[in-house]
Amino acid sequence: MFADKAQVARDMNWIANTQTIVQLPSRYQFDHQFWQGVPKMNWPGYEGGQRIGFYYQWLVKQCIHSHPSYQLVTEEIQVSKDGRTLGAVDFIVENPQGQLEHWEVAVKFYLAFN
């Protein structure tokens, strides 16, 4: 198992409470109200791919699923042209006002050696 329930709980707390290091206009960032609405719960362990990006996307998906005011409409929509994959849309989410939002999520881990 990549992350047991205790690790998932710690990581959920981290993503909900850590400020972004990238300064973007607020319309391009998660609304802080979103994180406040995610219930505290007994999260399942994670057994998916061991890349940090896959894990982070799974964590955010769990938050969307558990949120009382947001609904996951679809995820991982492949974008192709002429048989070549150009990328993927992480999530399409319905917000509390009934509007659809396109969410791209990412976390990066940098390790430097001297």
Side-chain angles (χ1 to χ4, degrees):
M1 180 178 289
F2 182 74
D4 63 17
K5 291 179 179 187
Q7 183 65 51
V8 169
R10 287 190 299 273
D11 294 338
M12 285 292 195
N13 184 59
W14 180 81
I15 66 171
N17 294 300
T18 301
Q19 292 186 350
T20 183
I21 60 171
V22 177
Q23 297 301 317
L24 297 170
S26 61
R27 70 178 187 266
Y28 296 123
Q29 295 186 35
F30 281 107
D31 182 348
H32 292 289
Q33 297 296 324
F34 172 79
W35 297 115
Q36 293 173 0
V38 175
K40 304 274 190 241
M41 56 187 292
N42 187 12
W43 301 101
Y46 174 74
E47 297 182 4
Q50 293 189 7
R51 291 185 176 167
I52 194 168
F54 293 142
Y55 177 55
Y56 181 71
Q57 189 168 331
W58 178 85
L59 290 170
V60 173
K61 179 179 174 179
Q62 301 310 302
C63 292
I64 297 167
H65 276 303
S66 68
H67 200 289
S69 301
Y70 288 79
Q71 182 172 348
L72 179 62
V73 175
T74 192
E75 65 179 309
E76 282 302 309
I77 300 170
Q78 297 296 311
V79 179
S80 301
K81 182 177 181 182
D82 299 326
R84 187 172 146 227
T85 301
L86 302 176
V89 173
D90 290 345
F91 301 113
I92 301 294
V93 178
E94 184 177 329
N95 69 22
Q97 294 76 36
Q99 300 167 324
L100 296 180
E101 298 179 347
H102 167 194
W103 288 16
E104 289 294 317
V105 299
V107 65
K108 300 294 180 187
F109 176 74
Y110 297 97
L111 182 63
F113 290 95
N114 289 326

